[in-house]
Structure formats: structure tokens, C-alpha cells
Amino acid sequence: MTKQGFFTRLFKRLCLLIGIVIFASTLAACKEQQEPDPENIVERTSKKILTGTIYETEVYYFKSNLPGPKVVIVGGIHGDEIAGWMVADALVERKDFKGEIMIIPRANILATQLEQRYPGSTNNGMYNNVKYTDLNREFPGKADGTVTERIAYAIVEVVTEFSPTYLIDLHESKRSYSDPSPLLGDEIIYGNKKGAMLALEMVEDFNDTLDPSDTPFITDANPPEGSFNHYFGKTYDAITFTFETNRQLGLAKRMKQQNDLLNIFFQKIWN
Ligand SMILES: [Zn+2]
């Protein structure tokens, strides 16, 4: 190699390096623009439901001075679907909500502590000599019913009082719909036809973010009877979605998917 050739290469590499630095700083600047809008003043409050019981759980309220619909987001109805409630836990630290948002990160708090579908779900529903059932088959619950029915009732009461237009319930499934023994993973379930189009749009946008090896999400019109989605979609007649990530995937990936789905939802309703 001639000395001149060496300097030409060095010069080219320097140019490339400078180009990369400029590109990275432009990216960083763009990211900064996505930081909370100073015009968006969000007030956060919270209260507890089921107070004085081992099922006591926190409900967070966010009210922005910028317009947006009323949205409820629930995690932890099933305690072993941890990506859902971990994302809901982190969500209460967000500062960029618009409109009014209510979040119950750990609806079935004892189940989340035990990391079981419901307390005692691995022991015929028996935990500490109390009989539990699947919370997501007991909605709308009963004020004077079983322990599980009372938890469902308290959640319905606080959600109904808030009067939301949209509700999102964060879940996970043991397997994908595409598995040889299919379950509900990799799906957005919607509660009634008012949510059908938005569910389809969210799935389309979300699938664009996936790697070619990932299973694309699909929509599903059939929330199980007694589920949060079924009650608020069919009886209460709001627009309801259940996000179902696939527990065959790693936790970080599932949490990213839950967050990406939420961000796509917010983009749709805030624009
Ligand atoms: Zn679930």
C-alpha cells in the first residue's frame, strides 16, 4: 500500500466516524423531543381498594390538562402472568399521559405475590385454608360473595365509578395461538365490535415492529365468559382489549411487547 493510499483510507474512515457521530447525536436529539411535553401537566393521585384486607391494592389516577379519553389499564388479574403486572407497575411512573388514565397494576395482589394464576391455583384453589377461584371468571363479582367474587366486585365498582371509554387488561398465555396445542398467546382480544377495527390496526402496527422469526399477533373476538374483558365489553359496553403475550418467550421480550402494544394504543387514541 502506498503512503498516499493509507492517508486516503484514514481520511475515509474519519469521515465515516464523523458521520456516525452526527447520526447518533441527531437520534439523541429526536429522542429528547419525545421527552414529556412541558405543556402537559399531569396530576397523579392514588387510593386503595379492599382496604384492611390482604387483597388491598393501589389504584392510580392520572389527569392531564391536555385532552384525551378516559382509559383504564389493569394488570395482575392473573398473578403468574408477570410481564403484564410488571409493565403495569412501571407504567405508574410515566409522566406523559393525556386525558384521564386509571391504572390498577396488581388487581389480584395476593396472586401476584405468590406468582400463581390465583391463590392456591396449584392446590385446587386452597391457600391458607381459604378457597379461591379464577378471578378472571368471576366478573362482575358479588358484594357479599366468595373472596374471589368480592375482589371482582371491588374492581368493577372502582372502574365503573371512573366511567372509562377504553379498558386494557394485561395478560399472558402459556402458549401461542400458533402452537400445535394452541392457547391465547400472541393475541389482542377485543370485547365487542366497537373495538374490532382498533384491535386490527394495533395488531398491524405491532406486527411491523416484529422480527421475521417472531409469531405475528392476531385479533380474537372471544373473551372468556366471566372475564374482565367480557364483562366490560359485553355488559358495560366499553371498548375493551386484552393483551396476551406468549410465556414461551423470555420475560424481557414479553415486557417489551406489552409496552410496544400500549404505546401503539396511546398513539392511536391521542392523535
Ligand atoms: Zn390471564
Side-chain angles (χ1 to χ4, degrees):
M1 192 199 312
T2 63
K3 209 170 184 184
Q4 202 179 359
F6 171 77
F7 281 116
T8 311
R9 274 184 195 206
L10 187 68
F11 179 69
K12 278 184 181 168
R13 282 191 187 171
L14 265 174
C15 284
L16 183 69
L17 190 69
I18 291 165
I20 290 169
V21 169
I22 291 171
F23 178 66
S25 52
T26 312
L27 259 186
C30 285
K31 213 173 171 196
E32 238 165 53
Q33 280 167 15
Q34 286 167 13
E35 292 294 305
D37 174 357
E39 302 292 310
N40 187 9
I41 301 159
V42 185
E43 176 196 321
R44 182 178 110 164
T45 55
S46 70
K47 73 171 186 187
K48 293 178 192 321
I49 55 169
L50 297 154
T51 44
T53 72
I54 55 168
Y55 319 109
E56 180 177 296
T57 197
E58 202 81 29
V59 180
Y60 297 87
Y61 297 89
F62 299 82
K63 193 169 186 173
S64 167
N65 59 329
L66 300 182
K70 281 187 165 189
V71 179
V72 168
I73 297 163
V74 176
I77 283 185
H78 288 145
D80 57 345
E81 298 171 12
I82 58 176
W85 55 258
M86 286 179 76
V87 163
D89 269 350
L91 205 59
V92 302
E93 302 305 329
R94 265 180 84 147
K95 315 271 188 246
D96 62 341
F97 291 124
K98 293 180 189 167
E100 286 187 61
I101 314 280
M102 181 180 127
I103 303 173
I104 312 177
R106 296 181 181 222
N108 198 352
I109 195 158
L110 183 57
T112 66
Q113 288 156 355
L114 298 167
E115 295 191 11
Q116 294 178 1
R117 184 174 176 89
Y118 53 93
S121 55
T122 53
N123 185 35
N124 295 318
M126 289 306 294
Y127 177 74
N128 267 352
N129 292 320
V130 178
K131 172 80 177 166
Y132 294 88
T133 51
D134 186 340
L135 177 59
N136 216 27
R137 299 294 180 272
E138 299 290 1
F139 286 97
K142 275 187 204 143
D144 58 353
T146 65
V147 167
T148 311
E149 285 172 332
R150 279 183 271 152
I151 296 171
Y153 184 83
I155 293 166
V156 166
E157 224 182 7
V158 77
V159 167
T160 307
E161 184 185 58
F162 183 71
S163 179
T165 303
Y166 296 95
L167 298 98
I168 295 183
D169 191 9
L170 306 178
H171 281 256
E172 298 204 272
S173 184
K174 282 184 178 156
R175 291 188 297 277
S176 173
Y177 70 88
S178 64
D179 192 275
S181 310
L183 284 173
L184 303 179
D186 302 315
E187 292 191 358
I188 293 181
I189 305 168
Y190 58 92
N192 64 50
K193 61 175 193 274
K194 288 194 289 186
M197 190 52 77
L198 184 51
L200 210 59
E201 285 174 17
M202 286 194 288
V203 157
E204 268 182 26
D205 286 9
F206 176 77
N207 287 345
D208 285 344
T209 72
L210 295 177
D211 295 329
S213 58
D214 291 331
T215 304
F217 267 51
I218 56 166
T219 61
D220 179 337
N222 299 300
E225 216 161 301
S227 66
F228 179 88
N229 186 328
H230 189 276
Y231 173 73
F232 282 102
K234 309 285 184 207
T235 307
Y236 188 84
D237 204 28
I239 300 171
T240 57
F241 303 110
T242 309
F243 296 166
E244 295 272 4
T245 41
N246 173 10
R247 283 165 64 186
Q248 300 291 319
L249 305 176
L251 179 60
K253 179 147 188 162
R254 284 140 55 200
M255 288 179 70
K256 181 183 184 304
Q257 291 192 340
Q258 295 268 356
N259 268 317
D260 287 351
L261 286 165
L262 282 168
N263 284 328
I264 287 167
F265 170 75
F266 290 137
Q267 271 168 23
K268 301 268 177 210
I269 61 159
W270 289 340
N271 288 329

